[in-house]
Amino acid sequence: QVQLVESGGGLVQAGGSLRLSCAASGSIVSINAMGWYRQAPGKQRELVAVITSDYIRNYADSVKGRFTISRDNAKNTVYLQMNSLKPEDTAVYYCNKRPPLNDYWGQGTQVTVSS
């Protein structure tokens, strides 16, 4: 059973930065496209960033130029560097395959950006 554990969230002021990590229990990071998703209160979960096994990256328009997704296959870990954070980035952030599998959703990590 694959487990994905997100960490690195916290409370930050607008304009600040955070780096999220997603550690996988298996080797899925190196062989699959991986994504970061987020869910804000009262909203549907949305895809924020994707990185393929060939290191092709794509971002939601709302985070383009501010967020960077990366992966370390040796550590089975995916990262999300978030800069110039805005209050609207406040959400619980999750990682999963792209497309996601229901069994892989973890607890997520809370990111709160104050104005």
Side-chain angles (χ1 to χ4, degrees):
Q1 180 73 17
V2 172
Q3 285 189 319
L4 299 171
V5 179
E6 301 92 349
S7 62
L11 174 63
V12 64
Q13 287 188 333
S17 298
L18 285 172
R19 188 194 193 206
L20 306 184
S21 298
C22 169
S25 60
S27 59
I28 66 167
V29 170
S30 62
I31 61 176
N32 291 282
M34 297 295 296
W36 279 98
Y37 304 76
R38 69 185 181 187
Q39 187 167 21
K43 295 187 177 182
Q44 287 190 332
R45 192 172 294 173
E46 63 174 345
L47 178 65
V48 173
V50 177
I51 185 167
T52 71
S53 57
D54 295 331
Y55 293 88
I56 296 172
R57 298 169 172 84
N58 282 294
Y59 300 93
D61 287 343
S62 59
V63 307
K64 203 170 292 184
R66 300 187 298 121
F67 290 10
T68 302
I69 189 171
S70 61
R71 63 197 299 160
D72 185 333
N73 291 343
K75 296 182 178 179
N76 294 318
T77 301
V78 182
Y79 303 97
L80 186 67
Q81 178 67 43
M82 306 187 297
N83 298 328
S84 303
L85 282 162
K86 304 176 180 180
E88 51 263 44
D89 295 319
T90 295
V92 179
Y93 284 71
Y94 305 85
C95 68
N96 203 323
K97 289 178 58 180
R98 176 61 182 166
L101 292 179
N102 282 335
D103 289 348
Y104 287 5
W105 292 116
Q107 295 299 309
T109 185
Q110 174 72 48
V111 172
T112 303
V113 184
S114 63
S115 58

